[in-house]
Amino acid sequence: MTVTTPASSPARSDGRRRVVIAVAACAVLVALGAWVGSLFGGMIDLRVYRMGGSVLLHGQALYDAKLPGSGLPFTYPPFAAIAMVPLAAVPWGVALVTWTTISVLCITALWRTSLPKTFWSFISQRKRTAVLVALTVLSLLLEPVWQTIQFGQINLLLTAMILLDLVRPNNARLRGFWLGVTIGVKLTPLPFLALLVVTKQWRALRNAVFGLLATMAVGFAIVPHQSWRYWTDVILDANRVGGIAYTGNQSFNGFLHRIGNDAGWVQPTWFLLSAVFGLLVLWLARRYWLADERVTAISVLALAVLYASPISWSHHWVWIIPLGVSLIRGINRVWGLNPAVAAGVLFYGLFVLRSIWWVPFRDDRELDWSFWQAIPGNSHLIVGMIAFILLAITSRSLPKEGG
């Protein structure tokens, strides 16, 4: 019997070429739009990234520098500033278009990786291009995605790096390494190492630690004094990242500070909530991983990162792309297609509404919210928790461990 390899067929190659061209064109158009918008003062985080690279190019103190006009400091590890040197070395317009194009391409990569093979099997090669472009464009309506694009944030790139790295086969070369690199760029992905531990992915864990240590080694080799200062001092300074009670901070810590501000019970309650939720997330993520539902396992673990981090700005929530796909798949498996579609529309629709910005914010006005204002003001947290509960319920339909 002759076996045809789909990947080698001319139609498949032409289809992939069309996808690349269409998505790249879409990304460039969005990037040009972002450039026009930046003329009016946007892209604040990209400006901070370029400042970090520029400071290193000029031999100045990285963690004393402040962005002119806003006073924002550079808060990431030294390796992140080193990685931003190329963006600092080119004109602003070139850096902005390049960075935004990469971010938009990452949106496409997230959808392409998150959607199961069974989904693509029902769509012809020609239509896949249109589907991916449509999903990429529509994703710009999601509050976390648009905030990431608008601020010039790095979240889409890091999320794509983690997801694409960990969904690879266990024997893939250096699998886990890029997770380690993302930790070396921005510490928040650190809890993903726990997923590797509870699922006994020792090789990937070794590679992830190697990736992190490699970024630290590069930092110490190029800017030893800045690296020493970061890992012994700056890393402990939580005041560098902004107001904890600000509505944009959609984490347990932000929620509790909006209720109790600086009350003595806030900090221990945050620790307790984060620990309990983290253990529940690890249990559920392990459950999905052992059932070979890797995208879901990774997305569930991302919830622990978002909820437990001291600061989880709303643009950190770009994990909703794979999380929403996982939710739809779980509901479809248990209750059927119609409830799954309805849940998906509701899930993504709530993030399109951007309700966290409907209520008074800034200048500590979050501390005076009424009960009814607190609902939209904490909506990312509420929707994410509902998704977690539903994924826990639908996990009962997964095969038993060892089955």
Side-chain angles (χ1 to χ4, degrees):
M1 181 175 65
T2 302
V3 178
T4 302
T5 305
S8 63
S9 67
R12 177 67 61 89
S13 299
D14 290 342
R16 287 178 175 174
R17 192 179 300 113
R18 284 194 297 269
V19 169
V20 171
I21 293 173
V23 173
C26 170
V28 171
L29 286 174
V30 174
L32 291 174
W35 177 73
V36 173
S38 76
L39 298 177
F40 302 96
M43 295 286 170
I44 190 70
D45 287 305
L46 179 58
R47 296 177 191 274
V48 171
Y49 299 157
R50 293 182 79 242
M51 177 193 72
S54 179
V55 165
L56 294 189
L57 283 175
H58 292 88
Q60 300 169 347
L62 178 61
Y63 298 106
D64 290 331
K66 299 291 177 68
L67 185 68
S70 68
L72 291 175
F74 190 85
T75 61
Y76 300 113
F79 178 78
I82 295 170
M84 296 300 167
V85 166
L87 288 178
V90 298
W92 167 248
V94 174
L96 187 149
V97 171
T98 300
W99 188 248
T100 307
T101 300
I102 291 172
S103 294
V104 175
L105 291 174
C106 286
I107 298 174
T108 307
L110 287 172
W111 281 111
R112 185 67 184 86
T113 305
S114 301
L115 290 166
K117 293 180 180 178
T118 52
F119 173 83
W120 296 113
S121 64
F122 289 105
I123 300 176
S124 67
Q125 196 68 44
R126 288 181 178 275
K127 291 182 179 179
R128 291 182 189 183
T129 304
V131 169
L132 279 173
V133 170
L135 289 172
T136 300
V137 173
L138 290 174
S139 295
L140 298 176
L141 298 175
L142 299 171
E143 193 274 345
V145 174
W146 179 246
Q147 289 282 69
T148 294
I149 298 293
Q150 177 180 299
F151 291 142
Q153 255 286 344
I154 197 171
N155 302 304
L156 284 164
L157 176 58
L158 297 184
T159 300
M161 286 175 65
I162 294 169
L163 188 66
L164 270 63
D165 186 20
L166 295 185
V167 298
R168 293 190 294 160
N170 289 345
N171 60 354
R173 189 167 180 265
L174 285 182
R175 179 176 169 273
F177 176 83
W178 295 108
L179 168 60
V181 171
T182 64
I183 299 172
V185 171
K186 190 175 183 178
L187 295 178
T188 49
L190 188 64
F192 281 97
L193 295 181
L195 175 63
L196 302 182
V197 172
V198 298
T199 53
K200 300 180 181 180
Q201 301 179 65
W202 308 124
R203 182 179 178 183
L205 178 63
R206 179 201 65 191
N207 291 337
V209 172
F210 173 67
L212 171 58
L213 293 178
T215 65
M216 295 176 66
V218 169
F220 276 101
I222 297 178
V223 283
H225 297 296
Q226 308 290 345
S227 296
W228 177 258
R229 181 180 175 188
Y230 178 82
W231 293 108
T232 61
D233 179 30
V234 176
I235 192 175
L236 303 175
D237 186 3
N239 294 322
R240 295 177 65 90
V241 294
I244 296 177
Y246 180 52
T247 187
N249 181 17
Q250 292 288 302
S251 69
F252 280 144
N253 200 30
F255 169 72
L256 292 171
H257 272 83
R258 287 190 282 275
I259 296 175
N261 197 12
D262 293 324
W265 58 267
V266 169
Q267 201 76 354
T269 303
W270 168 50
F271 284 135
L272 180 62
L273 272 177
S274 298
V276 172
F277 187 66
L279 290 174
L280 290 172
V281 163
L282 277 176
W283 164 78
L284 187 59
R286 181 178 183 273
R287 182 97 171 81
Y288 275 103
W289 189 272
L290 295 179
D292 202 28
E293 295 283 347
R294 296 194 172 193
V295 171
T296 304
I298 297 166
S299 302
V300 167
L301 200 285
L303 284 175
V305 177
L306 293 168
Y307 279 85
S309 294
I311 301 287
S312 288
W313 299 127
S314 66
H315 47 72
H316 294 173
W317 281 73
V318 291
W319 279 102
I320 63 171
I321 291 178
L323 181 66
V325 173
S326 300
L327 181 63
I328 293 169
R329 293 187 65 195
I331 293 177
N332 179 53
R333 187 175 59 247
V334 176
W335 294 302
L337 182 60
N338 289 339
V341 172
V345 171
L346 185 60
F347 177 82
Y348 289 118
L350 288 171
F351 285 98
V352 171
L353 290 176
R354 309 180 185 204
S355 55
I356 62 171
W357 306 113
W358 292 358
V359 290
F361 60 91
R362 291 200 182 101
D363 301 324
D364 288 336
R365 283 183 285 180
E366 295 89 345
L367 303 179
D368 298 321
W369 282 351
S370 67
F371 172 80
W372 298 111
Q373 289 175 322
I375 294 175
N378 294 292
S379 59
H380 285 18
L381 289 166
I382 296 170
V383 176
M385 189 61 68
I386 293 172
F388 172 78
I389 293 171
L390 288 173
L391 284 170
I393 293 172
T394 57
S395 71
R396 294 181 299 178
S397 66
L398 295 173
K400 298 295 183 182
E401 184 178 341

